[in-house]
Amino acid sequence: GAVVSQHPSRVICKSGTSVKIECRSLDFQATTMFWYRQFPKQSLMLMATSNEGSKATYEQGVEKDKFLINHASLTLSTLTVTSAHPEDSSFYICSAADTSSYEQYFGPGTRLTVT
Amino acid sequence: QKEVEQDPGPLSVPEGAIVSLNCTYSNSAFQYFMWYRQYSRKGPELLMYTYSSGNKEDGRFTAQVDKSSKYISLFIRDSQPSDSATYLCAMSYITGNQFYFGTGTSLTVIP
């Protein structure tokens, strides 16, 4: 199946700093990528939908100025958590939609810890 | 009311048992139904998908969709300890579009 990578897999940062997470589709082109966050023992919560070459669409309650999303190419989307705070600590997962199928392929996730 | 409802469990079964996992949904416009398996601290991996109503079998896994009842199921036969994970149902309106996830059911298969 298609492969989606995320980098880094784990990051620890200090409160007030910014962190960038990359999501790459390795063997297919993804016009749409999705960013989720997941708290322990909870389901995935969609944060935003990212379309290549256009602005991301954010879900209600997600601050677009805090969670900056860039989808500059068909294989790369980035999520930047700006001025991170401890409550931003979470598991962030991206997925990429193959343009030719119904499937979303998920990345392995990035665990962010803000101290 | 949530779009997708799923009992979070936890569910604990002995090895070899048949496991039944279920989700209900409220929007009859959903067309694509998926089951994902997620191990701890990992991203979800696709197990099964079904378009519209019907059954689909893949090895020990069977997915069922009953659109009239807005109910989907995943059956695992001859469950193994390696099946211990969280199982998430997901559904969407059209291909490549937003997925709506259930909360996930935590399954433990005891050797």
Side-chain angles (χ1 to χ4, degrees):
Chain A
V3 178
V4 175
S5 70
Q6 272 185 251
H7 177 79
S9 59
R10 182 184 296 264
V11 58
I12 300 172
C13 70
K14 291 186 177 180
S15 186
T17 61
S18 295
V19 174
K20 180 185 283 188
I21 302 170
E22 290 187 352
C23 176
R24 292 182 184 272
S25 57
L26 298 186
D27 52 2
F28 67 100
Q29 293 185 330
T31 54
T32 305
M33 289 186 172
F34 302 87
W35 287 95
Y36 299 85
R37 67 187 296 182
Q38 186 178 35
F39 293 105
K41 300 189 177 183
Q42 294 190 25
S43 189
L44 285 74
M45 183 193 82
L46 180 66
M47 299 175 65
T49 302
S50 166
N51 290 298
E52 186 264 339
S54 62
K55 290 184 178 180
T57 302
Y58 289 82
E59 294 300 301
Q60 190 173 11
V62 178
E63 300 176 57
K64 62 180 182 180
D65 294 329
K66 181 168 183 60
F67 298 99
L68 301 179
I69 292 173
N70 183 279
H71 191 163
S73 77
L74 287 173
T75 59
L76 173 64
S77 177
T78 61
L79 168 68
T80 302
V81 183
T82 62
S83 186
H85 291 284
E87 57 266 29
D88 298 324
S89 299
S90 188
F91 193 50
Y92 291 86
I93 305 174
C94 72
S95 72
D98 188 330
T99 54
S100 63
S101 77
Y102 61 89
E103 289 191 40
Q104 281 189 31
Y105 300 95
F106 284 84
T110 296
R111 182 157 302 281
L112 169 64
T113 303
V114 184
T115 61
Chain B
Q1 182 185 9
K2 288 183 181 178
E3 295 268 11
V4 182
E5 298 277 359
Q6 183 178 9
D7 186 342
L11 184 62
S12 184
V13 301
E15 182 174 355
I18 297 175
V19 176
S20 173
L21 305 167
N22 311 294
C23 288
T24 59
Y25 61 96
S26 56
N27 194 326
S28 58
F30 287 132
Q31 295 290 334
Y32 296 91
F33 304 90
M34 284 70 65
W35 285 95
Y36 285 84
R37 177 174 61 195
Q38 186 178 24
Y39 292 110
S40 180
R41 299 173 184 261
K42 302 289 185 184
E45 57 175 323
L46 180 66
L47 273 179
M48 303 278 291
Y49 73 87
T50 310
Y51 171 69
S52 195
S53 283
N55 294 358
K56 188 169 186 177
E57 188 173 321
D58 184 0
R60 297 185 294 111
F61 298 90
T62 300
Q64 287 185 351
V65 175
D66 182 347
K67 291 193 74 179
S68 62
S69 302
K70 300 192 185 71
Y71 189 88
I72 69 171
S73 300
L74 177 71
F75 298 97
I76 307 174
R77 291 184 299 280
D78 187 25
S79 56
Q80 303 295 310
S82 58
D83 295 329
S84 299
T86 296
Y87 291 79
L88 297 146
C89 64
M91 42 200 82
S92 68
Y93 299 119
I94 61 175
T95 60
N97 206 355
Q98 180 182 342
F99 280 16
Y100 294 83
F101 282 91
T103 53
T105 299
S106 175
L107 171 68
T108 300
V109 180
I110 303 168

